[in-house]
Amino acid sequence: MKQILCFGDSNTWGHDPCNDGKRFSFDKRWTGLVTKYLGDGFSVQEEGLCGRTTVFEDPFDPYLCSKDSLPVILRTHCPIDLVILMLGTNDIKQYFHADISAITQGIETLLQMIQKPEFSQGYPAAQILLISPILIGEQIADSPFGELFDGRHAYQLSLKLAKAYQKTAQKFHCHFLNAAEYAQPSAKDCLHLDSAGHAALAKAIGAEVKKIFSKT
C-alpha cells in the first residue's frame, strides 16, 4: 500500500467558493478524486488547512504556519511514500510583505523538513511532488478576499510561483506540477477551485502520481 500525504491550504481542504466557503464533499475534492483515480494499492491522506502559510506567522491565527505543524504531521502519517505539497497562495497576503524570494525560501524550508531523517523515523524518506498553486484571479480586489490581497500585485506575484517552484523542485530532486496549467480560480472569489477545477486538477495529479510510482 502506497501512502500519500497531501499537505496544503484551503484548496486542499476543499473550500467551496460557491457555497459560502463550506467544504466540498470528499468525492468532489481533488484529494478524493485522486483516491478514486488511483484505485487499490494507494492510501491518500488529507492535511489541508484554510489560510495555511509556509513559514509566515499569521497575526490573526497562530495555527497556520506549516513550519510548526508539518513535523508533527509527517511523524503522524509515517511511513510516507509520497508527499504532495501545494502551498504559497496565502504567503501572498499583503500583510506578510513577501516577495517571490521569501515565498520560495519558505517552500525550501518545508522541503528540507520532509527530507530530514528525523521526521521519517527510520523509514526511507518520502518522494515529493511539489505543486505550484493556481493563480490568484486578476479581479481579487473585488472579491470577498479583496482586503487580504493587494489586487494586481497579488495576481502578478502568483504568476511567478511556477517558475520559481520548478527551479526549487530541481534543486531538491522533487517532482513538479504547475496547477495553473490545469485549473483556474473560481470567478466567484478569484482564489479557490470550483468543482470543475478540482476535477481537472485531480486528473493531472493522479496521472503524475501514477507516473512517479511506475518508475519505482
Side-chain angles (χ1 to χ4, degrees), residues 92-126:
I92 298 176
K93 288 176 180 176
Q94 57 183 329
Y95 50 73
F96 292 128
H97 306 290
D99 59 12
I100 191 64
S101 176
I103 296 171
T104 303
Q105 288 179 45
I107 282 291
E108 289 191 2
T109 297
L110 302 185
L111 295 177
Q112 289 168 350
M113 285 182 171
I114 295 169
Q115 294 180 341
K116 276 188 176 181
E118 64 188 279
F119 297 138
S120 59
Q121 302 189 113
Y123 290 98

Side-chain angles (χ1 to χ4, degrees), residues 18-39:
C18 300
N19 192 20
D20 295 323
K22 291 183 172 60
R23 194 179 193 185
F24 279 113
S25 62
F26 184 69
D27 62 340
K28 297 291 186 182
R29 301 195 293 270
W30 71 258
T31 45
L33 293 168
V34 166
T35 299
K36 182 178 180 180
Y37 180 87
L38 294 176

Side-chain angles (χ1 to χ4, degrees), residues 34-112:
V34 166
T35 299
K36 182 178 180 180
Y37 180 87
L38 294 176
D40 294 339
F42 294 88
S43 175
V44 178
Q45 305 296 322
E46 297 178 304
E47 286 289 352
L49 177 64
C50 296
R52 178 175 275 155
T53 66
T54 57
V55 298
F56 297 99
E57 299 286 350
D58 194 296
F60 306 109
D61 192 330
Y63 305 110
L64 300 179
C65 179
S66 297
K67 184 175 61 174
D68 299 328
S69 60
L70 181 58
V72 176
I73 289 171
L74 291 172
R75 288 180 173 182
T76 298
H77 291 285
C78 79
I80 303 169
D81 296 289
L82 176 68
V83 175
I84 300 177
L85 178 65
M86 185 169 68
L87 284 171
T89 299
N90 290 301
D91 293 13
I92 298 176
K93 288 176 180 176
Q94 57 183 329
Y95 50 73
F96 292 128
H97 306 290
D99 59 12
I100 191 64
S101 176
I103 296 171
T104 303
Q105 288 179 45
I107 282 291
E108 289 191 2
T109 297
L110 302 185
L111 295 177
Q112 289 168 350

